[in-house]
PDB file of all heavy atoms in Angstrom:
ATOM      1  N   ASP A 286     101.699  72.013 110.116  1.00 77.00           N
ATOM      2  CA  ASP A 286     100.618  72.313 111.103  1.00 77.00           C
ATOM      3  C   ASP A 286     100.775  73.720 111.662  1.00 77.00           C
ATOM      4  O   ASP A 286     100.032  74.101 112.557  1.00 77.00           O
ATOM      5  CB  ASP A 286     100.655  71.235 112.214  1.00 77.00           C
ATOM      6  CG  ASP A 286     101.978  71.245 112.948  1.00 77.00           C
ATOM      7  OD1 ASP A 286     103.034  71.635 112.314  1.00 77.00           O
ATOM      8  OD2 ASP A 286     101.998  70.752 114.139  1.00 77.00           O
ATOM      9  N   LYS A 287     101.744  74.502 111.207  1.00 78.00           N
ATOM     10  CA  LYS A 287     101.918  75.867 111.657  1.00 78.00           C
ATOM     11  C   LYS A 287     102.003  76.779 110.491  1.00 78.00           C
ATOM     12  O   LYS A 287     102.984  77.437 110.207  1.00 78.00           O
ATOM     13  CB  LYS A 287     103.208  75.989 112.501  1.00 78.00           C
ATOM     14  CG  LYS A 287     103.130  75.063 113.722  1.00 78.00           C
ATOM     15  CD  LYS A 287     104.437  75.004 114.460  1.00 78.00           C
ATOM     16  CE  LYS A 287     104.336  74.150 115.687  1.00 78.00           C
ATOM     17  NZ  LYS A 287     104.158  72.712 115.341  1.00 78.00           N
ATOM     18  N   PRO A 288     100.898  76.905 109.748  1.00 76.00           N
ATOM     19  CA  PRO A 288     100.939  77.649 108.456  1.00 76.00           C
ATOM     20  C   PRO A 288     101.234  79.116 108.586  1.00 76.00           C
ATOM     21  O   PRO A 288     101.883  79.667 107.757  1.00 76.00           O
ATOM     22  CB  PRO A 288      99.505  77.427 107.898  1.00 76.00           C
ATOM     23  CG  PRO A 288      98.667  77.080 109.109  1.00 76.00           C
ATOM     24  CD  PRO A 288      99.556  76.334 110.026  1.00 76.00           C
ATOM     25  N   GLN A 289     100.797  79.719 109.691  1.00 73.00           N
ATOM     26  CA  GLN A 289     101.075  81.161 109.857  1.00 73.00           C
ATOM     27  C   GLN A 289     102.530  81.411 110.024  1.00 73.00           C
ATOM     28  O   GLN A 289     103.049  82.411 109.569  1.00 73.00           O
ATOM     29  CB  GLN A 289     100.292  81.709 111.006  1.00 73.00           C
ATOM     30  CG  GLN A 289      98.831  81.971 110.714  1.00 73.00           C
ATOM     31  CD  GLN A 289      98.142  82.783 111.807  1.00 73.00           C
ATOM     32  OE1 GLN A 289      98.385  82.540 112.983  1.00 73.00           O
ATOM     33  NE2 GLN A 289      97.307  83.702 111.438  1.00 73.00           N
ATOM     34  N   LEU A 290     103.208  80.444 110.666  1.00 79.00           N
ATOM     35  CA  LEU A 290     104.629  80.603 110.886  1.00 79.00           C
ATOM     36  C   LEU A 290     105.406  80.602 109.564  1.00 79.00           C
ATOM     37  O   LEU A 290     106.165  81.491 109.252  1.00 79.00           O
ATOM     38  CB  LEU A 290     105.171  79.502 111.802  1.00 79.00           C
ATOM     39  CG  LEU A 290     106.672  79.539 111.942  1.00 79.00           C
ATOM     40  CD1 LEU A 290     107.131  80.776 112.737  1.00 79.00           C
ATOM     41  CD2 LEU A 290     107.172  78.296 112.637  1.00 79.00           C
ATOM     42  N   PHE A 291     105.183  79.520 108.759  1.00 80.00           N
ATOM     43  CA  PHE A 291     105.998  79.448 107.556  1.00 80.00           C
ATOM     44  C   PHE A 291     105.620  80.466 106.514  1.00 80.00           C
ATOM     45  O   PHE A 291     106.497  80.968 105.785  1.00 80.00           O
ATOM     46  CB  PHE A 291     106.048  78.016 106.967  1.00 80.00           C
ATOM     47  CG  PHE A 291     104.823  77.532 106.321  1.00 80.00           C
ATOM     48  CD1 PHE A 291     104.467  78.036 105.046  1.00 80.00           C
ATOM     49  CD2 PHE A 291     104.050  76.511 106.818  1.00 80.00           C
ATOM     50  CE1 PHE A 291     103.348  77.550 104.391  1.00 80.00           C
ATOM     51  CE2 PHE A 291     102.971  76.035 106.135  1.00 80.00           C
ATOM     52  CZ  PHE A 291     102.565  76.532 104.939  1.00 80.00           C
ATOM     53  N   SER A 292     104.360  80.832 106.430  1.00 79.00           N
ATOM     54  CA  SER A 292     103.933  81.844 105.450  1.00 79.00           C
ATOM     55  C   SER A 292     104.541  83.205 105.816  1.00 79.00           C
ATOM     56  O   SER A 292     105.000  83.958 104.945  1.00 79.00           O
ATOM     57  CB  SER A 292     102.466  81.958 105.280  1.00 79.00           C
ATOM     58  OG  SER A 292     101.866  82.358 106.507  1.00 79.00           O
ATOM     59  N   THR A 293     104.565  83.499 107.114  1.00 80.00           N
ATOM     60  CA  THR A 293     105.050  84.796 107.554  1.00 80.00           C
ATOM     61  C   THR A 293     106.569  84.804 107.469  1.00 80.00           C
ATOM     62  O   THR A 293     107.176  85.840 107.096  1.00 80.00           O
ATOM     63  CB  THR A 293     104.598  85.106 109.004  1.00 80.00           C
ATOM     64  OG1 THR A 293     103.187  84.920 109.099  1.00 80.00           O
ATOM     65  CG2 THR A 293     104.977  86.497 109.400  1.00 80.00           C
ATOM     66  N   PHE A 294     107.212  83.690 107.725  1.00 86.00           N
ATOM     67  CA  PHE A 294     108.688  83.622 107.610  1.00 86.00           C
ATOM     68  C   PHE A 294     109.095  83.839 106.149  1.00 86.00           C
ATOM     69  O   PHE A 294     110.067  84.505 105.887  1.00 86.00           O
ATOM     70  CB  PHE A 294     109.143  82.277 108.078  1.00 86.00           C
ATOM     71  CG  PHE A 294     110.608  82.291 108.499  1.00 86.00           C
ATOM     72  CD1 PHE A 294     110.975  82.432 109.814  1.00 86.00           C
ATOM     73  CD2 PHE A 294     111.602  82.128 107.554  1.00 86.00           C
ATOM     74  CE1 PHE A 294     112.304  82.440 110.189  1.00 86.00           C
ATOM     75  CE2 PHE A 294     112.953  82.136 107.910  1.00 86.00           C
ATOM     76  CZ  PHE A 294     113.313  82.277 109.244  1.00 86.00           C
ATOM     77  N   LEU A 295     108.325  83.310 105.240  1.00 84.00           N
ATOM     78  CA  LEU A 295     108.607  83.510 103.800  1.00 84.00           C
ATOM     79  C   LEU A 295     108.511  85.000 103.499  1.00 84.00           C
ATOM     80  O   LEU A 295     109.301  85.531 102.696  1.00 84.00           O
ATOM     81  CB  LEU A 295     107.664  82.701 102.945  1.00 84.00           C
ATOM     82  CG  LEU A 295     107.815  81.168 102.987  1.00 84.00           C
ATOM     83  CD1 LEU A 295     106.771  80.521 102.036  1.00 84.00           C
ATOM     84  CD2 LEU A 295     109.197  80.776 102.551  1.00 84.00           C
ATOM     85  N   MET A 296     107.526  85.674 104.090  1.00 82.00           N
ATOM     86  CA  MET A 296     107.400  87.095 103.801  1.00 82.00           C
ATOM     87  C   MET A 296     108.603  87.825 104.371  1.00 82.00           C
ATOM     88  O   MET A 296     109.096  88.850 103.801  1.00 82.00           O
ATOM     89  CB  MET A 296     106.139  87.606 104.455  1.00 82.00           C
ATOM     90  CG  MET A 296     105.714  88.983 103.967  1.00 82.00           C
ATOM     91  SD  MET A 296     105.394  88.979 102.184  1.00 82.00           S
ATOM     92  CE  MET A 296     105.821  90.631 101.760  1.00 82.00           C
ATOM     93  N   TRP A 297     109.123  87.337 105.496  1.00 87.00           N
ATOM     94  CA  TRP A 297     110.362  87.998 106.018  1.00 87.00           C
ATOM     95  C   TRP A 297     111.483  87.860 105.060  1.00 87.00           C
ATOM     96  O   TRP A 297     112.261  88.774 104.821  1.00 87.00           O
ATOM     97  CB  TRP A 297     110.749  87.374 107.360  1.00 87.00           C
ATOM     98  CG  TRP A 297     112.078  87.866 107.827  1.00 87.00           C
ATOM     99  CD1 TRP A 297     112.404  89.058 108.454  1.00 87.00           C
ATOM    100  CD2 TRP A 297     113.361  87.190 107.669  1.00 87.00           C
ATOM    101  NE1 TRP A 297     113.758  89.159 108.647  1.00 87.00           N
ATOM    102  CE2 TRP A 297     114.366  88.009 108.169  1.00 87.00           C
ATOM    103  CE3 TRP A 297     113.724  85.951 107.132  1.00 87.00           C
ATOM    104  CZ2 TRP A 297     115.693  87.660 108.174  1.00 87.00           C
ATOM    105  CZ3 TRP A 297     115.043  85.603 107.096  1.00 87.00           C
ATOM    106  CH2 TRP A 297     116.010  86.467 107.652  1.00 87.00           C
ATOM    107  N   LEU A 298     111.680  86.694 104.451  1.00 87.00           N
ATOM    108  CA  LEU A 298     112.732  86.428 103.515  1.00 87.00           C
ATOM    109  C   LEU A 298     112.619  87.418 102.354  1.00 87.00           C
ATOM    110  O   LEU A 298     113.612  88.012 101.945  1.00 87.00           O
ATOM    111  CB  LEU A 298     112.686  85.020 102.985  1.00 87.00           C
ATOM    112  CG  LEU A 298     112.972  83.868 103.978  1.00 87.00           C
ATOM    113  CD1 LEU A 298     112.812  82.534 103.254  1.00 87.00           C
ATOM    114  CD2 LEU A 298     114.376  83.975 104.530  1.00 87.00           C
ATOM    115  N   LEU A 299     111.427  87.570 101.852  1.00 84.00           N
ATOM    116  CA  LEU A 299     111.220  88.485 100.698  1.00 84.00           C
ATOM    117  C   LEU A 299     111.489  89.956 101.116  1.00 84.00           C
ATOM    118  O   LEU A 299     112.172  90.692 100.368  1.00 84.00           O
ATOM    119  CB  LEU A 299     109.797  88.374 100.211  1.00 84.00           C
ATOM    120  CG  LEU A 299     109.469  89.063  98.920  1.00 84.00           C
ATOM    121  CD1 LEU A 299     110.320  88.493  97.780  1.00 84.00           C
ATOM    122  CD2 LEU A 299     107.983  88.850  98.566  1.00 84.00           C
ATOM    123  N   ALA A 300     111.002  90.362 102.268  1.00 84.00           N
ATOM    124  CA  ALA A 300     111.217  91.696 102.682  1.00 84.00           C
ATOM    125  C   ALA A 300     112.699  91.973 103.007  1.00 84.00           C
ATOM    126  O   ALA A 300     113.181  93.112 102.792  1.00 84.00           O
ATOM    127  CB  ALA A 300     110.372  91.988 103.948  1.00 84.00           C
ATOM    128  N   ASP A 301     113.386  90.978 103.481  1.00 85.00           N
ATOM    129  CA  ASP A 301     114.784  91.126 103.755  1.00 85.00           C
ATOM    130  C   ASP A 301     115.587  91.324 102.480  1.00 85.00           C
ATOM    131  O   ASP A 301     116.510  92.148 102.408  1.00 85.00           O
ATOM    132  CB  ASP A 301     115.327  89.871 104.465  1.00 85.00           C
ATOM    133  CG  ASP A 301     116.694  90.073 105.064  1.00 85.00           C
ATOM    134  OD1 ASP A 301     116.820  90.821 106.024  1.00 85.00           O
ATOM    135  OD2 ASP A 301     117.672  89.507 104.531  1.00 85.00           O
ATOM    136  N   LEU A 302     115.197  90.609 101.435  1.00 86.00           N
ATOM    137  CA  LEU A 302     115.804  90.798 100.114  1.00 86.00           C
ATOM    138  C   LEU A 302     115.526  92.211  99.636  1.00 86.00           C
ATOM    139  O   LEU A 302     116.417  92.896  99.082  1.00 86.00           O
ATOM    140  CB  LEU A 302     115.245  89.781  99.096  1.00 86.00           C
ATOM    141  CG  LEU A 302     115.819  88.384  99.196  1.00 86.00           C
ATOM    142  CD1 LEU A 302     114.931  87.427  98.411  1.00 86.00           C
ATOM    143  CD2 LEU A 302     117.237  88.359  98.642  1.00 86.00           C
ATOM    144  N   PHE A 303     114.330  92.693  99.807  1.00 84.00           N
ATOM    145  CA  PHE A 303     113.966  94.022  99.394  1.00 84.00           C
ATOM    146  C   PHE A 303     114.902  95.072 100.109  1.00 84.00           C
ATOM    147  O   PHE A 303     115.365  96.004  99.440  1.00 84.00           O
ATOM    148  CB  PHE A 303     112.575  94.325  99.767  1.00 84.00           C
ATOM    149  CG  PHE A 303     112.124  95.774  99.475  1.00 84.00           C
ATOM    150  CD1 PHE A 303     111.695  96.150  98.195  1.00 84.00           C
ATOM    151  CD2 PHE A 303     112.146  96.722 100.452  1.00 84.00           C
ATOM    152  CE1 PHE A 303     111.326  97.436  97.938  1.00 84.00           C
ATOM    153  CE2 PHE A 303     111.823  98.011 100.178  1.00 84.00           C
ATOM    154  CZ  PHE A 303     111.361  98.368  98.957  1.00 84.00           C
TER     155      PHE A 303
END
Side-chain angles (χ1 to χ4, degrees):
D286 59 336
K287 301 174 179 66
Q289 283 191 318
L290 174 69
F291 74 71
S292 64
T293 310
F294 201 97
L295 292 179
M296 195 62 211
W297 171 80
L298 294 177
L299 188 61
D301 192 71
L302 282 165
F303 175 86

